[in-house]
Amino acid sequence: MYLHKIMNKQELIDAFALVHKEDNYPPIAGKIIGLFYVSDQKYFTFEDIMDGVNASKSATSKALKFLIDLNEVTFMYSEKNKRKRLFYPDHTYIKKRFEKIIEAHKMETVLLKKVISMRNADNKEMNNVIRSIIAFNEDVLHFISEKVEKHFKTE
């Protein structure tokens, strides 16, 4: 990745699209997250976001809906114009995101334990892979849970 070559805010915003692509985010959604991080601005109009990520009205609207549905972005109505929405990141989303990941891996571990108890010994290689996944999940999930609580306390 070209991260060491990033020189300005727009390149940073674009890089967030690449990073979030790994989590299956649409590119514009990743850019919106990047815009929130690189800007000192607290609230963003739709137009601010559209200009900041250099996207069409349609693409911006779809990306915002995606992020709102994930609870990563929220909005309020402007006091000056009750029809104008002001968007901002939901600061609790990162903790919620990690909690979802942790919960998914806990469920996977439960399922894999059930699977391993049902498998016969014929396919030792696959059985070992399953046991390794179980052991890995058990080793890291407690650690990650503690770190999430430590670093992302809800106030």
Side-chain angles (χ1 to χ4, degrees), residues 110-142:
V110 168
L111 292 172
L112 289 173
K113 285 180 177 181
K114 185 74 150 174
V115 164
I116 204 71
S117 72
M118 299 169 83
R119 290 178 61 88
N120 63 36
D122 293 346
N123 188 343
K124 290 180 183 175
E125 184 179 6
M126 187 60 178
N127 290 347
N128 288 336
V129 168
I130 294 169
R131 285 186 189 95
S132 292
I133 295 169
I134 292 168
F136 176 82
N137 283 352
E138 289 178 339
D139 283 349
V140 300
L141 286 174
H142 182 71

Side-chain angles (χ1 to χ4, degrees), residues 49-66:
I49 294 170
M50 195 169 67
D51 293 342
V53 300
N54 194 25
S56 70
K57 187 175 186 176
S58 173
T60 303
S61 180
K62 287 178 185 176
L64 278 170
K65 181 176 179 352
F66 174 84

Side-chain angles (χ1 to χ4, degrees), residues 37 91-96 98-99 102 142-155:
Y37 282 129
H91 299 295
T92 63
Y93 90 90
I94 194 70
K95 182 177 181 185
K96 291 175 191 173
F98 282 125
E99 287 171 343
I102 291 165
H142 182 71
F143 175 80
I144 292 171
S145 296
E146 284 181 351
K147 295 302 179 187
V148 167
E149 285 303 314
K150 177 182 175 184
H151 294 286
F152 302 106
K153 292 180 182 167
T154 310
E155 300 187 26

Side-chain angles (χ1 to χ4, degrees), residues 9 12-13 16 28-46 48-50 52-53 60 63-64 67-68 71-75 86-91 93:
K9 285 184 178 185
L12 263 173
I13 290 169
F16 273 94
I28 302 303
K31 288 183 179 186
I32 292 170
I33 298 291
L35 176 66
F36 289 151
Y37 282 129
V38 304
S39 178
D40 291 322
Q41 193 171 325
K42 186 172 184 177
Y43 301 107
F44 296 79
T45 65
F46 183 86
D48 291 335
I49 294 170
M50 195 169 67
V53 300
T60 303
L64 278 170
L67 292 169
I68 289 167
N71 297 315
E72 291 196 33
V73 172
T74 191
F75 63 88
L86 300 174
F87 298 92
Y88 58 97
D90 181 339
H91 299 295
Y93 90 90

